[in-house]
Amino acid sequence: MKMYDKKVPYEELERRLNAAEEIIEAFQNQQVDAVIGKNSVSILQLHEVKEKLQRSEEWRVLAMEAGGVGLWEYHPETEDIYGSEMTRKLFGVTEDAAEEAPIQIVRERMHPDDQEAFLEAFKDALYSFEDPVFQHDFRVLHPEEEETWVTCRGRTTFRETPEGWQPVHIRGVVLDITPQKIIENQLYRLNRKLERRVSEHTQEADRRGVQLQKLARELSDSEERERRRIADILHDDLQQMLVVLQFRLSKLTSSVHLNPSQIDFVKTMEREIGECVDKSRGLSHELNPPVLRYHGLKAALSKLAAEIAEAHGMAVVFEAEDVEDPASQRSATVIYRAVKELLFNSLKHSGAKSARIAMERVAEQMVVRVEDAGGGADLSEMDPSEGKDIGMGLSALQERIRLLGGEVEIDSAPGDGFRVTLRLPPDDPA
Amino acid sequence: MSGSPDVPDTDEVRKLILFVAGKGVNSTRAMSNLEQVCEDRLEDCYELEVVDVLKDFSLALEYGIMVTPALVVKEPAPRVTVLGDLSDTDRLMKALRLK
């Protein structure tokens, strides 16, 4: 039964009950020779012990009432209920009224919503020889007053009959637990409120997270569109015009007679226009690498590795066996730009002679590692949470990937190279 | 008796208080019953304090003792109280954590 789980205040209740029972037993066995009161000790003669025994019930009641515990007794055969003064008080019943029809009064005072469960627990205890104890909490209605909570506990006494064990009576105690219930209810309500708030906040945070991610994607897409547009202008318009200009100048030198200094001047112009064409081509490639656009990420990264090796003398190994390019151009672009930035960081800061790019797919995630064998760095001195800058490029990169739903792991130590792992969520082709 | 923990026999010193009322019949019986069990089973392993409530009952109030004779087994914890003349040897042994 439930009551065994409830240690407070039932444990205390049990202790008081046991103490009272023990005193009665000592009287019954005529083994008491003095009673200690608050202010005095009375010695008992044998005849007094007997007299006290007759009044043992009174003792028991006194002990219980002093602790705010009401006593009650129910006889199933006659359906009689007896209640001590405290019991009547807890039910808000006057003595006269209680004498009239106690069962009726208990029924009237018990909260209607609690009656069914109470009766079930009560009957269980009344007819179960194996488990004759019950405990149940219920509300008591008081006319023109607020309802109170009581806990009611009882134990059935049985007698053996030819038909088996029959209940003689069920005796028990009843105790006011309103203050506890009020606190319990307040706690419950507070918890519910708290849970609701947390859930609301979580939902809001989730919603904003999704929104933010969407915005980040849109931003990244529009940035990419703009780069492409500028690259296209550079490539399709500016470069074409410059080439035409160059062509016209060369026509000029062959069709018009020029003196040597004029020829030198035109040649310089031609060379300068050539430089403009190169610069514009470089810029347009950088803004929107055609290799990435037409041949995919793997081809672009492998070209990047070769270019860096050639231009800067740092050997870059690119490994991407059996890995397919990401389905979306967005992911490909983000990875390409991040790798490029990381490699240039290595060039600028690490003094490394070699670096490695490894691309693989782990459980739908695109995982790209960029590592160098350079001087490394003390990450504790780069922790932005401690107000130390992680390096503008690196923290912006981290932020960008995170906004797209990915992760960036950085691992380094002084003298131990620099390793960055990028994880991008499964593509949603867009 | 309030609680009868099934603690096995230990060498721990039993600290006992016996509350009596002068030379009352039950008090005298309780005293001799207790002494017998203690001498037989505990030898030197106990400290007994006898308190006569007729002389001072403040300690009895402190321990929540309402009638005499009453034996309080203070240690080993938890505290156990036995009321009456201690003629129920089983109950007394249990309170003293003796098998």
Side-chain angles (χ1 to χ4, degrees), chain A residues 232-258:
Chain A
D232 285 348
I233 293 173
L234 286 174
H235 181 266
D236 299 341
D237 299 344
L238 196 63
Q239 278 178 51
Q240 302 309 320
M241 283 166 76
L242 287 170
V243 170
V244 169
L245 212 58
Q246 215 173 14
F247 178 73
R248 289 203 176 138
L249 268 178
S250 72
K251 284 272 277 206
L252 184 75
T253 45
S254 58
S255 60
V256 180
H257 181 77
L258 298 170

Side-chain angles (χ1 to χ4, degrees), chain A residues 22-23 25-27 30-41 43 59, chain B residues 1-2 21 24 26-27 53-54 57 61 65-69 84-85 87 91:
Chain A
E22 277 158 28
I23 292 173
E25 198 187 327
F27 272 109
Q30 301 187 9
Q31 289 184 2
V32 177
D33 50 19
V35 175
I36 302 152
K38 264 189 188 156
N39 303 311
S40 63
V41 176
I43 306 168
W59 271 92
Chain B
M1 190 176 72
S2 347
N26 287 309
S27 293
V53 296
L54 300 183
F57 62 95
L61 289 181
I65 299 299
M66 294 167 80
V67 295
T68 61
D85 64 4
S87 53
R91 184 182 272 198

Side-chain angles (χ1 to χ4, degrees), chain A residues 298-352:
Chain A
K298 281 205 294 185
L301 286 179
S302 124
K303 187 162 182 273
L304 179 69
E307 279 169 1
I308 288 181
E310 198 190 319
H312 305 281
M314 181 168 82
V316 182
V317 181
F318 174 56
E319 292 166 10
E321 277 174 42
D322 304 324
V323 186
E324 278 174 36
D325 275 336
S328 80
Q329 189 67 33
R330 180 195 300 130
S331 297
T333 310
V334 166
I335 292 172
Y336 178 81
R337 297 211 185 285
V339 170
K340 193 170 175 183
E341 192 168 328
L342 290 169
L343 287 174
F344 275 96
N345 265 354
S346 289
L347 275 174
K348 268 190 277 179
H349 306 298
S350 78

Side-chain angles (χ1 to χ4, degrees), chain A residues 140-253:
Chain A
V140 178
L141 302 171
H142 300 274
E144 291 165 35
E145 269 177 68
E146 282 188 23
E147 62 180 34
T148 54
W149 274 95
V150 295
T151 188
C152 190
R153 178 186 162 168
R155 180 194 286 272
T156 312
T157 305
F158 294 87
R159 75 162 168 257
E160 204 169 6
T161 68
E163 290 82 39
W165 291 97
Q166 293 292 327
V168 183
H169 52 65
I170 181 161
R171 265 189 191 146
V173 292
V174 57
L175 186 71
D176 187 352
I177 54 164
T178 311
Q180 264 163 267
K181 282 285 172 184
I182 289 173
I183 291 167
E184 256 173 47
N185 282 342
Q186 279 172 344
L187 263 177
Y188 177 76
R189 276 205 294 275
L190 215 63
N191 268 338
R192 289 288 301 272
K193 208 161 151 187
L194 216 63
E195 275 166 19
R196 217 167 39 237
R197 290 246 176 103
V198 168
S199 137
E200 278 168 13
H201 283 191
T202 312
Q203 276 173 16
E204 177 65 14
D206 285 352
R207 206 174 56 77
R208 286 196 187 163
V210 168
Q211 221 171 25
L212 205 62
Q213 219 172 71
K214 196 168 156 244
L215 269 172
R217 273 196 213 124
E218 278 167 13
L219 196 68
S220 165
D221 286 354
S222 81
E223 188 183 307
E224 204 48 46
R225 272 197 304 276
E226 201 54 24
R227 281 169 189 269
R228 192 176 292 179
R229 197 177 68 84
I230 298 170
D232 285 348
I233 293 173
L234 286 174
H235 181 266
D236 299 341
D237 299 344
L238 196 63
Q239 278 178 51
Q240 302 309 320
M241 283 166 76
L242 287 170
V243 170
V244 169
L245 212 58
Q246 215 173 14
F247 178 73
R248 289 203 176 138
L249 268 178
S250 72
K251 284 272 277 206
L252 184 75
T253 45

